[in-house]
Amino acid sequence: MDRLFTLDEARALLPSIVEDSRALVAARADMAEIAHDRRTAGASSLGGIPELKALEARIEHLLGGWAGQGIEVKGFAPVLLDFPSMLDGVSVRLCWIEGETALGWYHRTDLGFAGRRPLR
C-alpha cells in the first residue's frame, strides 16, 4: 500500500518542497532558454547539450526524491504534488501546486484536481 500522510506530516514537508520546487522551476526555465536559444540562434549563453543533460538530471533527482517519499508527482510545469491521505474515512489527496505558500487543499482520490476543496 502507498504511504498515507497525516495533514501534519504533509505540512511538515512543505518547506523543503517549496525550496526544491524553486530549484526545479529555475532548472526548467534554464532548460527552456537553452533549447530556445540553440534552436533560434544556434547557441545559448547558458550552455549546450551538457548543461541540458545536467538540468534534466537535476529535475529527475528532485522528482524522484518526492516520489521516493510517497508523494505523487502529478506535474512539473507547474509543479503539482499530491499526498495520499484519509479524511473522515475517505481516500483523498492533499494537494499542493507551485506558487502556493501553504498546504490548504485536498480532493477525493477518485475526483482528481477538478474536485479540489479547501481544507477545513
Side-chain angles (χ1 to χ4, degrees), residues 41-81:
S44 171
S45 63
L46 295 178
I49 298 294
E51 289 75 18
L52 277 174
K53 293 299 181 189
L55 291 165
E56 288 174 1
R58 177 73 176 133
I59 289 172
E60 287 297 321
H61 175 77
L62 292 167
L63 297 175
W66 291 330
Q69 294 177 69
I71 300 167
E72 297 175 355
V73 179
K74 300 298 183 168
F76 76 99
V79 178
L80 178 58
L81 304 176

Side-chain angles (χ1 to χ4, degrees), residues 1-75:
M1 176 176 233
D2 292 332
R3 176 179 178 184
L4 292 178
F5 292 85
T6 66
L7 182 55
D8 288 341
E9 289 170 336
R11 283 184 170 156
L13 292 173
L14 199 59
S16 67
I17 286 169
V18 169
E19 182 179 328
D20 287 347
S21 71
R22 285 186 185 124
L24 189 146
V25 168
R28 188 180 69 202
D30 286 351
M31 282 182 64
E33 187 173 331
I34 291 170
H36 173 77
D37 290 351
R38 291 184 78 239
R39 194 172 47 255
T40 59
S44 171
S45 63
L46 295 178
I49 298 294
E51 289 75 18
L52 277 174
K53 293 299 181 189
L55 291 165
E56 288 174 1
R58 177 73 176 133
I59 289 172
E60 287 297 321
H61 175 77
L62 292 167
L63 297 175
W66 291 330
Q69 294 177 69
I71 300 167
E72 297 175 355
V73 179
K74 300 298 183 168

